[in-house]
Amino acid sequence: MRTIGTGLHFEDLPVGERFRTCGRTITEADLVAFVGFSWLTEEVFTNLSRREGMALPPRVVPGAMVYAIAEGLLTPAMQGTGLAFLHAELDVRAPTCVGDTLHVEVEVTESRLSSRGDRGLVRSENRVLNQRAETVLVYKPLRLLRRRGADPISRSTEA
């Protein structure tokens, strides 16, 4: 399985193609910033005392944050080629904690040309794994990607 770099086009992602991202460690500062801007202020994320009474005593992070980090790890793969994020199914499988290092393993499950022909639709199964190779989140996005050689689409027509 190769590690991705930048700008995968529709043609680079046939059904069965697999790749993985680099890893990223979640810090306490990451959690504080995410909870602050998203306002996910549940005590399981914000209360550092009395952890023994909580369902998850370690310093857990929201599933939404795990998903956001996964998408950030994948962004280089779509730099300049990604046109739209159209849909996703998401399943949180296990807790993620401050100090965990995540990476994403991607397998393309659907790849077809759009009706316009200058772009294609790609669906994948994205598994987010921690440093112990445990799957913590799985999501299946459908994306619209530019085809190789297609003229860049102007910003005024991307909506």
Side-chain angles (χ1 to χ4, degrees):
M1 190 178 301
R2 63 187 164 109
T3 300
I4 60 170
T6 60
L8 296 172
H9 290 81
F10 168 75
E11 293 84 356
D12 299 323
L13 298 168
V15 172
E17 180 70 18
R18 297 177 64 195
F19 60 89
R20 63 167 284 163
T21 67
C22 295
R24 184 193 190 293
T25 301
I26 299 173
T27 68
E28 179 74 18
D30 294 330
L31 175 60
V32 170
F34 187 85
V35 167
F37 86 76
S38 66
W39 206 243
L40 290 173
T41 57
E42 290 184 57
E43 280 198 324
V44 71
F45 308 130
T46 62
N47 188 339
L48 290 176
S49 64
R50 297 181 301 147
R51 300 294 303 173
E52 68 281 350
M54 295 187 184
L56 299 166
R59 192 80 161 116
V60 295
V61 300
M65 182 175 163
V66 174
Y67 163 75
I69 288 172
E71 279 294 284
L73 288 168
L74 282 166
T75 296
M78 297 168 284
Q79 190 67 38
T81 59
L83 300 172
F85 183 102
L86 302 172
H87 178 265
E89 296 174 22
L90 185 137
D91 184 23
V92 177
R93 300 274 177 95
T96 300
C97 299
V98 168
D100 282 351
T101 299
L102 305 177
H103 74 273
V104 184
E105 294 183 356
V106 177
E107 182 174 357
V108 176
T109 58
E110 179 184 353
S111 183
R112 60 187 164 89
L113 286 176
S114 71
S115 59
R116 287 183 52 161
D118 63 342
R119 49 189 86 178
L121 296 161
V122 175
R123 186 181 314 274
S124 60
E125 179 174 293
N126 299 357
R127 302 180 74 77
V128 183
L129 289 86
N130 64 20
Q131 69 278 7
R132 294 177 298 280
E134 299 165 335
T135 299
V136 297
L137 187 135
V138 175
Y139 68 106
K140 300 174 182 179
L142 177 65
R143 302 180 195 276
L144 185 65
L145 296 174
R146 183 171 317 208
R147 289 189 69 194
R148 184 170 279 108
D151 290 333
I153 297 168
S154 71
R155 291 194 186 277
S156 62
T157 62
E158 278 191 52

